[in-house]
Amino acid sequence: MSTTHNCPCTQACPLQRAMEMIGSKWKLSLLCSLMVDGSTRYNELKRKMNGISNTMLAKSLKEMEDDGLVTRTEYMEVPIRVEYAITEKAKALGPILVQLAQWAAKM
Protein backbone atom coordinates (compact mmCIF):
# COMPACT_ATOMS: atom_id res chain seq x y z
CA MET A 1 0.00 0.00 0.00
CA SER A 2 1.36 3.38 -0.95
CA THR A 3 2.02 5.97 1.76
CA THR A 4 1.95 8.77 -0.79
CA HIS A 5 -1.15 10.97 -0.77
CA ASN A 6 -1.97 12.38 -4.16
CA CYS A 7 -4.24 15.29 -4.85
CA PRO A 8 -7.43 14.10 -6.56
CA CYS A 9 -7.16 17.09 -8.90
CA THR A 10 -5.46 17.04 -12.24
CA GLN A 11 -1.76 17.72 -12.57
CA ALA A 12 -2.57 21.44 -12.77
CA CYS A 13 -4.09 21.41 -9.28
CA PRO A 14 -5.62 24.82 -8.46
CA LEU A 15 -5.22 24.24 -4.73
CA GLN A 16 -1.51 23.56 -5.19
CA ARG A 17 -1.21 26.81 -7.17
CA ALA A 18 -3.03 28.72 -4.42
CA MET A 19 -0.65 27.31 -1.81
CA GLU A 20 2.31 28.36 -3.93
CA MET A 21 0.91 31.90 -4.04
CA ILE A 22 0.05 32.35 -0.35
CA GLY A 23 1.44 29.37 1.53
CA SER A 24 4.83 30.63 2.67
CA LYS A 25 5.58 31.60 6.24
CA TRP A 26 5.21 35.34 5.58
CA LYS A 27 2.78 35.82 2.70
CA LEU A 28 -0.46 35.39 4.65
CA SER A 29 0.78 37.79 7.33
CA LEU A 30 1.73 40.33 4.68
CA LEU A 31 -1.63 40.00 2.94
CA CYS A 32 -3.55 40.34 6.21
CA SER A 33 -1.53 43.40 7.16
CA LEU A 34 -2.17 45.05 3.80
CA MET A 35 -5.88 44.14 3.94
CA VAL A 36 -6.26 45.76 7.35
CA ASP A 37 -3.94 48.76 6.96
CA GLY A 38 -4.21 49.49 3.26
CA SER A 39 -1.28 50.82 1.26
CA THR A 40 1.87 50.47 3.37
CA ARG A 41 5.49 51.47 2.99
CA TYR A 42 8.18 48.81 2.84
CA ASN A 43 9.82 49.79 6.15
CA GLU A 44 6.47 49.78 7.95
CA LEU A 45 5.82 46.25 6.69
CA LYS A 46 9.28 45.27 7.90
CA ARG A 47 8.48 46.59 11.40
CA LYS A 48 5.16 44.73 11.50
CA MET A 49 6.62 41.39 10.40
CA ASN A 50 8.61 40.57 13.51
CA GLY A 51 11.59 38.42 12.54
CA ILE A 52 11.47 38.73 8.75
CA SER A 53 14.75 39.53 6.99
CA ASN A 54 15.01 42.19 4.30
CA THR A 55 15.79 39.46 1.78
CA MET A 56 12.70 37.41 2.66
CA LEU A 57 10.42 40.47 2.74
CA ALA A 58 11.63 41.64 -0.67
CA LYS A 59 11.35 38.10 -2.09
CA SER A 60 7.83 37.57 -0.71
CA LEU A 61 6.60 40.94 -1.97
CA LYS A 62 8.15 40.36 -5.40
CA GLU A 63 6.53 36.92 -5.70
CA MET A 64 3.15 38.31 -4.63
CA GLU A 65 3.55 41.14 -7.13
CA ASP A 66 4.36 38.62 -9.88
CA ASP A 67 1.25 36.62 -8.89
CA GLY A 68 -0.94 39.72 -9.07
CA LEU A 69 -1.69 39.85 -5.33
CA VAL A 70 0.04 43.14 -4.52
CA THR A 71 0.98 46.28 -6.38
CA ARG A 72 4.19 48.19 -5.86
CA THR A 73 4.07 51.95 -6.28
CA GLU A 74 7.31 53.90 -6.41
CA TYR A 75 7.18 57.63 -5.73
CA MET A 76 10.03 59.65 -7.16
CA GLU A 77 10.82 61.64 -4.05
CA VAL A 78 13.99 62.12 -2.10
CA PRO A 79 14.33 59.72 -0.43
CA ILE A 80 12.40 57.43 -2.73
CA ARG A 81 9.13 56.13 -1.26
CA VAL A 82 7.76 52.67 -2.10
CA GLU A 83 4.30 51.50 -1.04
CA TYR A 84 2.60 48.14 -1.39
CA ALA A 85 -1.14 47.51 -1.62
CA ILE A 86 -3.33 44.50 -2.27
CA THR A 87 -5.06 44.04 -5.60
CA GLU A 88 -8.68 43.16 -6.28
CA LYS A 89 -7.49 39.60 -6.84
CA ALA A 90 -6.11 39.52 -3.28
CA LYS A 91 -9.19 41.22 -1.84
CA ALA A 92 -11.21 38.24 -3.06
CA LEU A 93 -9.22 36.14 -0.57
CA GLY A 94 -10.60 38.16 2.37
CA PRO A 95 -13.73 36.08 3.02
CA ILE A 96 -11.79 32.85 2.51
CA LEU A 97 -9.17 33.91 5.06
CA VAL A 98 -11.89 34.86 7.56
CA GLN A 99 -13.45 31.41 7.15
CA LEU A 100 -10.06 29.74 7.52
CA ALA A 101 -9.40 31.71 10.72
CA GLN A 102 -12.83 30.77 12.09
CA TRP A 103 -12.16 27.13 11.29
CA ALA A 104 -8.76 27.27 13.03
CA ALA A 105 -10.25 28.96 16.09
CA LYS A 106 -12.52 25.93 16.57
CA MET A 107 -9.58 23.50 16.65
Side-chain angles (χ1 to χ4, degrees):
M1 181 176 231
S2 175
T3 59
T4 304
H5 299 284
N6 293 321
C7 178
C9 300
T10 63
Q11 286 185 337
C13 176
L15 185 56
Q16 182 63 37
R17 177 66 183 128
M19 292 305 295
E20 289 170 3
M21 292 172 72
I22 63 170
S24 77
K25 179 178 178 178
W26 299 105
K27 288 180 181 179
L28 278 179
S29 295
L30 287 164
L31 283 173
C32 287
S33 178
L34 291 169
M35 283 182 190
V36 170
D37 299 334
S39 185
T40 307
R41 293 174 124 180
Y42 179 91
N43 285 331
E44 183 63 24
L45 284 171
K46 175 85 167 87
R47 282 190 287 277
K48 290 178 182 181
M49 301 297 118
N50 190 25
I52 194 169
S53 68
N54 277 323
T55 302
M56 185 53 67
L57 177 58
K59 180 180 185 277
S60 296
L61 289 168
K62 175 67 173 134
E63 288 174 359
M64 289 192 303
E65 185 181 10
D66 290 345
D67 289 332
L69 298 175
V70 299
T71 57
R72 179 183 189 273
T73 304
E74 196 172 294
Y75 297 92
M76 298 314 234
E77 302 172 350
V78 178
I80 198 163
R81 177 172 51 115
V82 176
E83 291 184 349
Y84 292 88
I86 62 168
T87 62
E88 290 300 316
K89 183 178 180 178
K91 286 179 186 176
L93 282 170
I96 297 165
L97 296 179
V98 168
Q99 287 181 342
L100 185 59
Q102 290 169 344
W103 173 81
K106 293 177 185 177
M107 297 295 134

